[in-house]
Amino acid sequence: MLEDSQTDDSESETLLLFGRVLDGHGGGRAVNWDEARAWRPGKPGEVLWVHLCRNRPGAAEWLDRSLGLPEPTVELLTGEATRPRAFREGNAIVATLRGINFNPGAEPEDMVSLQIWCDGRRLVTLRRRPLQTPHAIMCDVDAGQGPVDAGAVITSLIEHMIARMNSSIVDMNEVIDVLEDADPGNDPEAMLDKIATIRRNCLALKRHMSPQHEALERISRDAPDWFEDHDRREIAETIDRLRRYIDDLDISKESAMVLQDDLRARAVARSNRTSYLLTIVAAIFLPLTFITGLLGINVAGIPGAADTDAFWIVVAMCAGILVMQLVMFWRWKWFG
């Protein structure tokens, strides 16, 4: 999976990961934490965007004191409840979204949350683990080709996060295609392990993507007036794309289940075939073993004990019984 390795990670211990004041024309200037806290709306079209690390000290206090947010909203933005949701609070949008975790050593289903608060002039995004999406949009702003207002930033964040989900789904589908073309006889246990992993990934991704679908619909439907019509249309397109991804997850999960059932059916068939062959062998040798065991008992009166031709007579009798059994098994279609 080829992804930009740069994230919004920061070596400093400050709450602010980065801050930008958008100029309304696709560009912006960087601001530090002191400038961000003292910022007031100035020129028309300016928007303050601060991206914070919510597990560093001071996040809840700043949201409460500087922005005057209600305590439940502060808890939502800084807490550990990361189920995707969105709602309108006065003239502001409050949302929790989730994206694919591309950090080293992470699994696709181990998704990363992004909290958003915006009133049209100030945009606050918060995360706990490093994210690539905010950094990518910040780079566009620095290059003068970024979003022009707060609604466009939110739309871009959503589009980037949803688009990145597609790569994980494509990777899972490619693995399923490889497994479908592979020989089931070559290490079926490893194939079953991969299929089980894919099924877990599908279930985990869908568990987060389904409520995210509802959250995006709330944003598109209930956003304040500063969220422009073209942003709503782009959100609607993203919702359709997310719905297709959810359908793809269902297809991937069903394909994995079919492949898993096929491998298990083949394993059961091989086991039954082996047991069947062992049963036939046992049925063939059971009467022969009985005869040789009967003639081998150490008691007086064994027929032919003094006859030099008795051995060959017993061999011929056993051969005759074997031939008779094979004919009977063939007529009964036991060899089918």
Side-chain angles (χ1 to χ4, degrees):
M1 184 184 303
L2 297 177
E3 292 289 336
D4 183 2
S5 60
Q6 291 182 319
T7 67
D8 58 4
D9 202 7
S10 174
E11 296 297 331
S12 67
E13 293 300 323
T14 61
L15 181 62
L16 181 69
L17 295 168
F18 65 77
R20 294 294 185 272
V21 174
L22 309 184
D23 59 13
H25 303 287
R29 59 183 176 86
V31 292
N32 58 32
W33 184 226
D34 292 333
E35 293 172 327
R37 287 185 294 178
W39 183 85
R40 294 293 182 271
K43 299 178 182 179
E46 279 193 345
V47 174
L48 173 67
W49 176 22
V50 291
H51 186 50
L52 311 179
C53 182
R54 63 183 174 86
N55 56 323
R56 291 178 182 172
E61 291 78 2
W62 183 75
L63 293 172
D64 181 19
R65 296 175 182 176
S66 297
L67 299 184
L69 302 186
E71 182 178 351
T73 303
V74 174
E75 291 180 357
L76 174 66
L77 295 174
T78 59
E80 296 301 323
T82 57
R83 177 180 172 84
R85 59 177 301 190
F87 59 90
R88 177 175 176 175
E89 188 175 70
N91 197 43
I93 289 178
V94 183
T96 297
L97 304 176
R98 304 208 72 174
I100 298 293
N101 188 353
F102 291 111
N103 293 313
E107 295 295 333
E109 74 274 12
D110 187 19
M111 302 185 76
V112 193
S113 63
L114 177 69
Q115 281 75 21
I116 298 173
W117 179 90
C118 182
D119 64 357
R121 299 304 303 273
R122 294 167 297 180
L123 170 63
V124 181
T125 55
L126 305 97
R127 61 78 166 159
R128 183 169 64 88
R129 287 178 290 182
L131 271 170
Q132 295 178 1
T133 297
H135 183 273
I137 298 175
M138 181 201 71
C139 291
D140 292 340
V141 171
D142 291 343
Q145 300 176 349
V148 297
D149 55 31
V153 175
I154 295 174
T155 301
S156 297
L157 288 169
I158 292 172
E159 288 179 343
H160 278 70
M161 294 179 73
I162 299 303
R164 289 178 183 273
M165 293 180 179
N166 185 47
S167 58
S168 292
I169 297 174
V170 170
D171 286 349
M172 287 191 293
N173 290 336
E174 290 178 351
V175 173
I176 291 176
D177 292 338
V178 172
L179 292 175
E180 288 177 342
D181 296 334
D183 183 5
N186 294 334
D187 200 0
E189 294 296 329
M191 295 178 66
L192 287 173
D193 289 341
K194 291 180 180 180
I195 294 172
T197 300
I198 290 174
R199 290 187 62 183
R200 287 195 300 270
N201 289 346
C202 289
L203 291 173
L205 289 175
K206 188 173 181 181
R207 185 173 68 249
H208 297 302
M209 290 170 69
S210 295
Q212 184 139 304
H213 181 273
E214 299 175 5
L216 298 186
E217 288 185 333
R218 290 290 300 272
I219 293 175
S220 177
R221 182 177 63 249
D222 300 335
D225 294 338
W226 54 262
F227 203 83
E228 299 182 3
D229 289 339
H230 67 85
D231 294 324
R232 299 177 192 270
R233 288 193 297 270
E234 292 182 15
I235 292 291
E237 291 294 329
T238 303
I239 291 172
D240 290 337
R241 189 181 306 118
L242 180 59
R243 188 179 296 115
R244 290 196 300 270
Y245 293 164
I246 294 175
D247 292 339
D248 288 342
L249 281 178
D250 289 333
I251 294 173
S252 298
K253 184 178 67 174
E254 292 296 330
S255 299
M257 290 178 61
V258 170
L259 186 56
Q260 188 177 51
D261 291 342
D262 181 61
L263 288 173
R264 288 176 174 172
R266 289 173 182 267
V268 171
R270 286 195 300 269
S271 177
N272 292 340
R273 182 66 177 175
T274 302
S275 300
Y276 181 70
L277 293 176
L278 291 176
T279 301
I280 292 178
V281 171
I284 290 174
F285 284 96
L286 181 61
L288 303 181
T289 304
F290 173 75
I291 292 175
T292 55
L294 180 64
L295 296 178
I297 57 178
N298 190 20
V299 296
I302 298 297
D307 190 348
T308 57
D309 296 328
F311 171 76
W312 298 109
I313 294 173
V314 173
V315 171
M317 182 173 60
C318 290
I321 293 174
L322 175 61
V323 171
M324 182 178 64
Q325 286 181 305
L326 294 177
V327 171
M328 292 173 61
F329 292 165
W330 177 75
R331 288 185 177 180
W332 294 341
K333 297 182 180 180
W334 283 20
F335 297 122

